[in-house]
Amino acid sequence: DANRQISDLKFKLAKSEQEITALEQNVIRLEGQVARYKTAAENAEKVEDELKAEKRKLQRELRSALDKTEELEVSNGHLVKRLEKMKANRSALLSQQ
């Protein structure tokens, strides 16, 4: 009976050692996944920061371009008015002659 108990305990010990080995391998695999996910998250954050900076830059450029467009439209309006005045003056001069 003692030999049977010893045999059972040896079997349980071997089974437990196999489970421990499997769990250790699982821990190693999971640690590798964590490292990969952490690296991926850091890279994603870096890309996000770069995209935010690019967005801010593009928004500044857009505001600048819109301001310049508005400025040119105002200038164009003034020039159109000057041209109309010049045409009117020319017409008036020609009609006087």
Side-chain angles (χ1 to χ4, degrees), residues 64-79:
S64 175
L66 290 173
D67 290 345
K68 184 69 175 173
T69 301
E70 184 180 353
E71 179 183 320
L72 290 172
E73 286 173 349
V74 168
S75 177
N76 186 47
H78 291 309
L79 290 173

Side-chain angles (χ1 to χ4, degrees), residues 11-27:
F11 175 75
K12 287 181 182 180
L13 177 63
K15 189 174 180 181
S16 294
E17 287 174 346
Q18 286 178 344
E19 288 177 10
I20 288 171
T21 301
L23 290 171
E24 286 172 343
Q25 290 173 348
N26 199 22
V27 167

Side-chain angles (χ1 to χ4, degrees), residues 10-86:
K10 283 183 181 180
F11 175 75
K12 287 181 182 180
L13 177 63
K15 189 174 180 181
S16 294
E17 287 174 346
Q18 286 178 344
E19 288 177 10
I20 288 171
T21 301
L23 290 171
E24 286 172 343
Q25 290 173 348
N26 199 22
V27 167
I28 291 169
R29 182 181 58 80
L30 292 172
E31 285 174 345
Q33 280 184 337
V34 167
R36 285 191 302 276
Y37 290 147
K38 184 177 179 182
T39 301
E42 289 170 354
N43 289 338
E45 288 174 0
K46 181 180 176 185
V47 168
E48 180 185 19
D49 291 342
E50 290 170 356
L51 288 172
K52 284 180 181 178
E54 180 70 15
K55 179 182 176 184
R56 286 190 299 271
K57 177 185 169 200
L58 290 172
Q59 286 175 331
R60 279 192 307 270
E61 289 177 6
L62 175 61
R63 281 192 303 273
S64 175
L66 290 173
D67 290 345
K68 184 69 175 173
T69 301
E70 184 180 353
E71 179 183 320
L72 290 172
E73 286 173 349
V74 168
S75 177
N76 186 47
H78 291 309
L79 290 173
V80 166
K81 286 179 185 177
R82 281 182 59 194
L83 181 60
E84 289 171 358
K85 284 181 183 179
M86 290 173 72

